[in-house]
Structures are given as structure tokens and as C-alpha cells.
Amino acid sequence: MGNIYWLASYPKSGNTWMRILLTNYLRNADQPADINSLDGGPIASARQAFDDHVGIEASDLTQDEIERYRPFVYEQMSAQAKEALYLKVHDAFTYTPYGYPLISKAATAGVIYILRNPLDVAVSFAHHSASSVERMVRKMGEADFAFVDKPQRLHNQLRQKLLTWGGHVTSWVDEPGLRVRVIRYEELHADTVAAFSRVIHFCGLDDDPARIAKAVQFSRFEQAQKQEAEHGFGEKMPGAESFFRKGQVGSWRAELTPELVEKLIADHAPVMRRFGYLNESAELRY
Amino acid sequence: MYIYRAYQFLIHADFPIPEFPQVNETGDPDVVIRRGAVPTALENAAGKGVLYQTTANQFLLNMNDLARYLVQNGAEIVVEPAPNSPASDVRVFLLGSCLGALLHQRGILVLHAGALYTERGAVLFTGPSGIGKSTLLGELLRRGYKMMVDDVCGVMLDASGRPTVLPGYPRTRLWSDAAQKLEQDITTLERTRPAMEKYERQLPEQYWDQPAPLRRIYLLNTSNKDELFLTAEPRMDTFSIVLRNTYRQQFLDGLEMRAPHFSLVSAVAKQTTVTRVTRPSHPFRLTELADLIEQDLGQG
């Protein structure tokens, strides 16, 4: 078993919130952690980490060559780690052109898979990308959707294949031989202490209730929003107004047209049903 | 045999390296680059990455089905290309990590930077990959400046202990979007590698081939706000900036060069200033950025 716990999610599903919680828990300080220096990084797709570990630059490699070597970067990071590493990842769980899992299982201690209602994801994704919600709904249904898929320029991240929203979920949770703990954004929102305690337990960390309660208190949405308003947040996209926008459950109700809701359900019904976003009578929950 | 001069070394190569300036000089070479057999691994490697291994005087890069490279004693690079590897692909890694390792072996400070020559000395542009070093360098070249190197920049102390920038070779690389920003026609340029949208630009007529005193370092970074400005970095941060922007510094431990590198960084940091250049990550605002740099250079 490796040393890396992956904080895996489709974008805009609560990954940063999980990182804030973990950071506050791990540092156990007497004030909230700075959102601009969180643990849980670098993201698995960070160019710099790849360059440092491989010894050549990703910018001199083709996308397929980069993916060929990425699993070995994680194996090296895991081998060099003296304690557990928590790394954010938005890539779907895929296999490289050489038949090796992109996210090496040998480097992996476990996966915290953070899942969120795709209807809310679509709304948040549109704001984050300064794009229309129609476009994001369409992208969430495309099996070849990937971040940084344009080889004409150098980006600070490597290509990340996302698959469809539902494909992303099943790629991680149904992969044999991975230890996965699924945490839904909605549970985290409804009872943060209980949901985060399950994460702590899964990672084999000390589940001292006072320490967890303090981490939850320091990771409140308003705290992140306040810090962003005062100092900005490095992970905000240039076109977006803010990163910590609403952090609500069910904000899709005010922003999605019936046609878009219908399309999301049509594209993702089986996975939505499986994880409780649609009930047995095909009604939307949350 | 092909004879070149790059980084002030007289180089003998048994295959063409068109990026390097060719010379008609006699004498013993400082560096030999030749084809030959290269092992897949080093015995007793002290340092290791995914594709490289190091010992005190050897550096091995194993690019699998592309080529293997062995860099020894700061004086020799042996290359074993795989059958059918395009020559340009083989050179990319030769001119990148292998050259970097050779300079490290010789105790030269290697910075991940582009260098321009000005009358008052060499000006370096450094920062992480993808931050826009080559694009900015390209714009300043368009305005008539001379280049000393793009990407792998060697710095030494001269006889009186002052930091001196070595001329590397007159080639820049541009991604197609950078070429577009620079209004550079890419149809006449060679691709860095056949499968990539990255192009090679040879600029022999704009090459300054003599060493020059280090005048200033510009550290490039981006912001997700629409802002463009220069700030003088505090003196006490110069050391860590030079350290952090050392090219392939992960090679140093295995090469047993960490201690000399540390004192070199310290000596250079004491005698240079760093100006931080902040630009929006999007849009690039290249013209304004180059104006700002030119204005700053004009002020001293």
C-alpha cells in the first residue's frame, strides 16, 4: 500500500472544502488556516510536480507520453513520503496508453471520493468557468471532456480526462482494488462533523471530537468567503467573480431551466439513482 | 565531426546539433557529444527520479523508446538513440536535462531562465514553466534586443568573483499560441518535435556570444486579477528565488553538488537584485508588459 490519500472529485463538488477541513484538522492551530496555503496539494495534475519528479519537462512531451509517466510520479512521491500525503485530483480514474492506471494503485493508501448533485455541479461549474450553464451541462455529458486539452500552449496543469459526470463517479468508485470512501457534498453540508469524522476515521487519524469540531468551525463557508474577499483566492479562474460563491445545496432550482434539468437526468440517471440524487419514483432529492 | 561553441565550451559532436553555433576552431574540445552504448541504469545511483539516475560524476537519462543519455564528468555526453527516433526528438532532451546536468557537473549555476544582453549587462527572465518567459523574450527580441540564451542559463563567478552570464546558443522555442501573439509565421519554422505544436526559432543575427555581467533578474508570475506591475523583491528573498529557480535542482544531491551550488547561489544572490513581474494569467497583455520592462531597463 502506498502513502497517498486521494481527494478525488469531479470539479465543483466540494474538493476545496474537504482540503480546508483536512488542513484545519491536520494543523490543529488556534486560528483558521489560510485558504491560499492549504494542504491537499499540489493537485495531481500540477505541471511543476511532474517536472520535478520525472527530471524532464512535461512541456517537451506529448500528452500520451505525459500520461505514460504520471503513475510513476505518484509512486515516487509515495515512496519519498514519510507520512500520509493528501492530494487533490480531478482526473477520472483511467488507464494510460501503456495499460497502467494513471493514478497508481501502488502509490495509493485510499480514496476519498467527494460527490455532489450534478444539477448543483452544473450551476457552480458555469460560474467558475465564466461560461453558460447550457455549455457546462453539455460538457458534463461528453465522454471526451478534458481539462487542458489544447496542446497549442503551455498550461500550469497537465491534461485531465474527466469523462462524463457519471463516468467520473463510476471510474473511481467501481475500480477494483481501490479502497474508496464516498462522501456526498450534501451529507457534508447537512452534518459536517459527522461526515468529516467518517473521513478522519477512514484515513486512520485521531478522531478526537474536539479537534474535529474545531476544524469544522474553522472551515465554515463564511470563513472561506471572508478570506477570499480580503485576500483573494489563487484557485479562482480569471473570469470568475469569486470562488466561494454560495456553497448551498439545491441552488440549481433557481438557475436551471426544466430542459437542462431533463438533460442532466437523461445523461446521468443511473448514477444519480445509485447515489440518492433521484429516488425510486425518479423524483429529484435535494 | 561537427565543431560548435556554446556556453563558451568548444564542443565536438559526431552528429549535427544545428541549434549550436558552428565554429572553425582547432584545439582540444571541452565537451564531447557522441553516439554510443548507454546502460539502462547506473550502479549505485545516489539520486533517482522517474527517468533519471545520478552518481557523483554521472547522470543517466532513460527516455525508453526514444533514447538514452549518459553525461559524465562535465565533459562528455553519450547518446544512444532508439531505432527510428526522430533526430529532433533526441536533441530535445540532450539540450534540456542533459546539458543542464553537464553544467551542474562543472559547478556552473544553472538557472531556468532566458537571458537578454543589454549594454549594462545581462538581464534574466525566470519563473516556472508556462509563465511566459519565452513569449516575453520573443517580444523583446522583436524590439531589437540581443539574446544570450533561452531556458537553460549558465551563470559563473568571474575572476573577481562577480556573477557573469554565459552565452548559450541562439535558439528560442515558441508554442503556437505564443507565436501568434508575436505575429511569428510558423509555417517557416521547424517543430521542436514532430508531434507537438511547439516551434524552433534560430536567431544567429540577434545573438550575443560573449559573457556579460549579471545585471538583474526578473521573476515572472501571474495573478488571477487584471493587474500588471513590477515590484522590487526584498533583498533577503533573493537567495531563495535564485535557489528555487535553479534548473533541475533535484539533480544536485545525487551529483554531490549541493554544497558548491549553495555557496554559488549565495554569492550570486548577494550581488544581484530581483524584480517581480506580475501580469494577469489571462489576457497576457504582452505589449504593455514589454513596455514596462523596457521602461524599467531605461531607469537603471
Side-chain angles (χ1 to χ4, degrees):
Chain A
M1 192 174 87
N3 282 321
I4 303 175
Y5 281 98
W6 299 101
L7 310 176
S9 75
Y10 196 82
K12 307 314 292 175
S13 299
N15 206 313
T16 302
W17 189 11
M18 185 59 74
R19 288 176 59 203
I20 296 174
L21 282 162
L22 259 175
T23 304
N24 277 307
Y25 171 86
L26 293 168
R27 294 193 192 159
N28 198 18
D30 52 12
Q31 55 181 350
D34 178 357
I35 55 169
N36 282 304
S37 68
L38 296 176
D39 292 351
I43 189 166
S45 47
R47 171 181 300 280
Q48 188 67 50
F50 178 96
D51 292 358
D52 290 347
H53 285 277
V54 178
I56 55 166
E57 277 165 57
S59 69
D60 286 332
L61 299 177
T62 64
Q63 303 267 31
D64 283 353
E65 287 171 332
I66 292 170
E67 280 166 21
R68 172 183 187 175
Y69 297 124
R70 274 180 64 184
F72 305 106
V73 170
Y74 308 130
E75 288 177 11
Q76 181 167 306
M77 287 170 101
S78 170
Q80 290 174 351
K82 293 185 179 67
E83 49 191 18
L85 284 179
Y86 300 89
L87 295 183
K88 168 181 174 172
V89 56
H90 282 323
D91 295 87
F93 196 97
T94 60
Y95 281 70
T96 71
Y98 291 80
Y100 207 89
L102 179 71
I103 303 300
S104 161
K105 291 181 187 176
T108 300
V111 178
I112 296 148
Y113 189 85
I114 309 146
L115 180 63
R116 186 183 190 184
N117 184 359
L119 280 64
D120 281 343
V121 169
V123 170
S124 178
F125 212 170
H127 283 282
H128 180 68
S129 321
S131 176
S132 73
V133 72
E134 288 78 10
R135 177 169 173 272
M136 293 332 295
V137 168
R138 196 174 65 240
K139 289 287 175 197
M140 287 171 69
E142 290 174 3
D144 61 354
F145 183 33
F147 276 164
V148 196
D149 207 12
K150 287 186 205 142
Q152 295 91 346
R153 76 182 191 97
L154 191 55
H155 198 282
N156 65 2
Q157 287 198 36
L158 307 172
R159 176 173 70 184
Q160 297 150 74
K161 291 178 180 167
L162 296 177
L163 312 180
T164 64
W165 175 82
H168 190 280
V169 178
T170 53
S171 78
W172 281 97
V173 304
D174 291 342
E175 176 64 29
L178 273 187
R179 211 179 136 242
V180 184
R181 170 85 233 190
V182 175
I183 295 288
R184 292 188 310 162
Y185 185 93
E186 293 75 16
E187 321 165 35
L188 203 57
H189 195 269
D191 188 345
T192 315
V193 168
F196 185 56
S197 297
R198 287 195 284 277
V199 172
I200 293 301
H201 183 75
F202 176 77
C203 298
L205 295 165
D206 172 17
D207 59 0
D208 168 20
R211 185 168 172 179
I212 291 173
K214 186 173 70 173
V216 168
Q217 185 60 29
F218 284 171
S219 308
R220 287 169 55 86
F221 193 79
E222 297 74 22
Q223 171 60 230
Q225 251 181 340
K226 179 169 156 262
Q227 285 194 32
E228 183 177 17
E230 283 167 12
H231 309 291
F233 182 48
E235 291 175 37
K236 181 187 84 72
M237 298 280 276
E241 283 188 13
S242 64
F243 185 93
F244 299 100
R245 202 178 51 87
K246 282 195 168 155
Q248 286 173 0
V249 168
S251 65
W252 63 270
R253 290 178 194 277
E255 302 201 41
L256 288 186
T257 62
E259 293 73 31
L260 290 176
V261 171
E262 209 171 295
K263 161 129 176 87
L264 282 165
I265 295 175
D267 285 349
H268 310 295
V271 176
M272 288 179 71
R273 207 172 294 121
R274 178 171 162 194
F275 290 96
Y277 294 110
L278 279 177
N279 68 17
E280 280 161 18
S281 355
E283 289 159 345
L284 283 159
R285 300 178 64 218
Y286 304 103
Chain B
M1 189 178 52
Y2 302 86
I3 305 177
Y4 303 104
R5 196 167 270 282
Y7 297 90
Q8 290 208 291
F9 303 137
L10 190 62
I11 299 172
H12 285 184
D14 71 357
F15 59 92
I17 305 173
E19 291 84 353
F20 287 162
Q22 212 157 356
V23 290
N24 269 321
E25 294 180 39
T26 52
D28 289 340
D30 302 296
V31 176
V32 171
I33 302 176
R34 63 173 178 88
R35 276 171 296 201
V38 173
T40 54
L42 293 179
E43 270 176 54
N44 309 316
K48 242 180 202 180
V50 173
L51 297 176
Y52 72 88
Q53 301 188 344
T54 45
T55 66
N57 41 30
Q58 291 189 309
F59 169 86
L60 179 117
L61 182 68
N62 184 352
M63 292 300 301
N64 296 298
D65 39 24
L66 225 149
R68 288 197 297 274
Y69 309 80
L70 183 64
V71 185
Q72 312 195 81
N73 307 310
E76 184 184 50
I77 304 179
V78 188
V79 184
E80 184 175 353
N84 307 321
S85 289
S88 58
D89 280 12
V90 173
R91 288 201 307 275
V92 166
F93 305 100
L94 170 69
L95 296 174
S97 295
C98 294
L99 193 57
L102 181 123
L103 295 170
H104 280 313
Q105 286 173 343
R106 284 184 166 254
I108 291 169
L109 174 63
V110 198
L111 296 179
H112 197 187
L116 279 187
Y117 173 78
T118 71
E119 280 178 7
R120 276 182 284 175
V123 173
L124 269 46
F125 297 93
T126 191
S129 290
I131 205 75
K133 296 186 290 291
S134 297
T135 309
L136 178 58
L137 193 76
E139 175 62 23
L140 291 162
L141 289 171
R142 202 153 75 130
R143 298 180 181 201
Y145 286 85
K146 291 200 167 198
M147 69 174 290
M148 297 178 69
V149 75
D150 182 17
D151 210 39
V152 184
C153 180
V155 181
M156 290 176 76
L157 299 180
D158 69 9
S160 52
R162 279 201 208 89
T164 304
V165 177
L166 301 178
Y169 56 97
R171 195 266 347 249
T172 66
R173 283 208 184 122
L174 293 173
W175 283 83
S176 62
D177 77 321
Q180 210 170 12
K181 286 193 189 85
L182 297 168
E183 296 169 339
Q184 167 73 47
D185 177 15
I186 51 175
T187 54
T188 58
L189 301 181
E190 300 262 338
R191 283 176 193 252
T192 301
R193 297 185 59 194
M196 290 178 75
E197 290 281 339
K198 200 173 168 183
Y199 298 85
E200 303 278 301
R201 205 166 154 226
Q202 312 289 346
L203 287 154
E205 70 289 353
Q206 269 182 275
Y207 179 50
W208 183 265
D209 65 359
Q210 296 299 313
L214 173 59
R215 176 176 168 193
R216 180 175 305 158
I217 299 174
Y218 288 104
L219 172 67
L220 273 53
N221 78 306
T222 58
S223 146
N224 59 8
K225 295 182 203 139
D226 192 20
E227 54 191 6
L228 187 64
F229 58 89
L230 305 184
T231 38
E233 281 293 301
R235 193 99 222 156
M236 57 185 282
D237 293 344
T238 311
F239 177 84
S240 69
I241 291 167
V242 175
L243 191 70
R244 206 167 55 236
N245 289 285
T246 295
Y247 185 79
R248 306 289 192 268
Q249 64 157 304
Q250 67 271 39
F251 298 170
L252 289 166
D253 295 307
L255 294 170
E256 295 180 16
M257 292 302 285
R258 183 62 77 178
H261 173 257
F262 202 81
S263 22
L264 195 51
V265 170
S266 172
V268 169
K270 274 185 203 134
Q271 301 179 69
T272 190
T273 57
V274 177
T275 302
R276 179 182 290 268
V277 182
T278 302
R279 67 163 177 92
S281 57
H282 185 82
F284 198 111
R285 293 174 63 183
L286 179 59
T287 308
E288 288 166 84
L289 182 59
D291 288 348
L292 202 59
I293 300 287
E294 279 202 291
Q295 194 189 349
D296 192 54
L297 287 173
Q299 281 167 359

